[in-house]
Amino acid sequence: ISFNSVDSSLSSLKNCQSYINTGMEIATHVALDLVESFNDVEDVNSMENVMLEYAAMDRELNHYMTAIEETVNQIKREKPENIPDLKYLVNEKFTALESKNTDSDLQKNEKYIYFKDQVKEMRKQYNDNEAIEQIDEDIAVTQSQMNFICPITQMEMKRPVRNKVCGHTYEEDAILKIIQTRKQQKKKVRCPKIGCSHADVKGSDLVPDEALKRAIDSQNKQ
């Protein structure tokens, strides 16, 4: 049995998934723009609903691709004499996967988690700055600048990345260089932030901190 057409379909589905990812990235940027512009909470919440819709689409697409791959692998293993009804087998597996869906699945979507984290950080940046500025403008500037300094380079970050495990931020190039060097030495990387006990920083745990980058850019413009 030739699976060329099936492989072609899977490739198309993966392209669709990349469009969903792009949509989620755009929705995240729009939400951050809204927070930065002090827009209504409802506007930000509407973007969160968009993210959940994208997460549902992503889950459905993943289930369908899984159903196809499992069906193909099953046929390759069993090697039936007659060509089975691929569509029926795929739909059967797909329905079984979809029947296990829960709302909490969507909350676990990686890009949705990133969205929530960045919106929270963005609000924190602006609310903290507002509160501190009411007390003393000099303190506000000092506080912000401390948050903007990379614990590795001791310089203001240009491309900050956040560690999903411990929550600390570093300059992207600086932390990746340490990870690469330690990897060659077959050693683990301890979080460079003083006082942090996290002893195994991985490149896969780092995500761009768009909220912090915007706060740094905003401070520099002022």
Side-chain angles (χ1 to χ4, degrees):
I1 302 172
S2 173
F3 294 103
N4 288 341
S5 59
V6 176
D7 292 338
S8 176
S9 298
L10 274 173
S11 180
S12 297
L13 289 173
K14 282 173 183 172
N15 282 337
C16 290
Q17 199 165 36
S18 71
Y19 298 145
I20 291 172
N21 287 337
T22 301
M24 293 180 95
E25 286 167 9
I26 291 169
T28 301
H29 282 288
V30 170
L32 294 180
D33 286 340
L34 291 170
V35 176
E36 196 171 10
S37 306
F38 299 101
N39 276 56
D40 198 280
V41 172
E42 284 185 17
D43 293 334
V44 179
N45 288 344
S46 69
M47 296 315 300
E48 183 174 346
N49 290 332
V50 168
M51 288 295 288
L52 287 170
E53 286 173 21
Y54 273 126
M57 289 164 61
D58 186 57
R59 177 179 62 188
E60 187 176 349
L61 199 55
N62 276 327
H63 283 168
Y64 199 68
M65 287 193 291
T66 299
I68 293 172
E69 287 165 353
E70 284 183 358
T71 302
V72 168
N73 289 335
Q74 181 185 335
I75 293 168
K76 284 179 178 177
R77 276 195 317 270
E78 296 175 358
K79 297 177 182 175
E81 290 183 14
N82 299 318
I83 299 173
D85 187 338
L86 280 175
K87 187 176 179 181
Y88 173 79
L89 290 174
V90 168
N91 282 335
E92 195 176 41
K93 290 184 185 297
F94 173 69
T95 304
L97 288 167
E98 285 284 291
S99 68
K100 296 175 184 174
N101 287 350
T102 63
D103 289 342
S104 63
D105 294 342
L106 305 182
Q107 313 280 340
K108 293 172 188 172
N109 180 282
E110 196 170 320
K111 287 197 177 291
Y112 175 75
I113 291 171
Y114 178 73
F115 169 90
K116 292 284 285 181
D117 175 66
Q118 288 294 288
V119 168
K120 180 184 172 185
E121 286 299 317
M122 197 75 175
R123 281 176 171 151
K124 189 177 167 187
Q125 289 286 348
Y126 279 84
N127 291 339
D128 282 359
N129 283 348
E130 271 188 41
I132 297 170
E133 279 169 12
Q134 287 172 4
I135 302 168
D136 191 319
E137 196 170 328
D138 291 335
I139 294 174
V141 172
T142 305
Q143 179 73 30
S144 296
Q145 286 173 343
M146 280 172 64
N147 294 336
F148 300 164
I149 300 298
C150 169
I152 304 165
T153 65
Q154 294 302 311
M155 295 173 68
E156 187 177 88
M157 290 178 275
K158 291 183 172 62
R159 295 178 64 183
V161 289
R162 179 179 296 278
N163 189 324
K164 291 189 289 184
V165 179
C166 62
H168 293 127
T169 51
Y170 334 97
E171 181 65 55
E172 184 179 32
D173 289 345
I175 189 66
L176 289 179
K177 195 171 182 180
I178 291 175
I179 291 171
Q180 184 61 33
T181 302
R182 289 287 187 175
K183 189 177 179 182
Q184 290 169 353
Q185 297 169 347
K186 295 183 178 177
K187 292 181 180 177
K188 292 181 179 180
V189 179
R190 176 174 284 281
C191 175
K193 187 76 174 178
I194 294 172
C196 183
S197 60
H198 182 47
D200 190 12
V201 180
K202 296 185 178 76
S204 57
D205 292 330
L206 305 176
V207 292
D209 197 330
E210 179 67 24
L212 183 58
K213 186 179 186 305
R214 285 172 180 241
I216 292 170
D217 291 344
S218 175
Q219 181 71 47
N220 288 336
K221 282 177 187 174
Q222 291 174 11

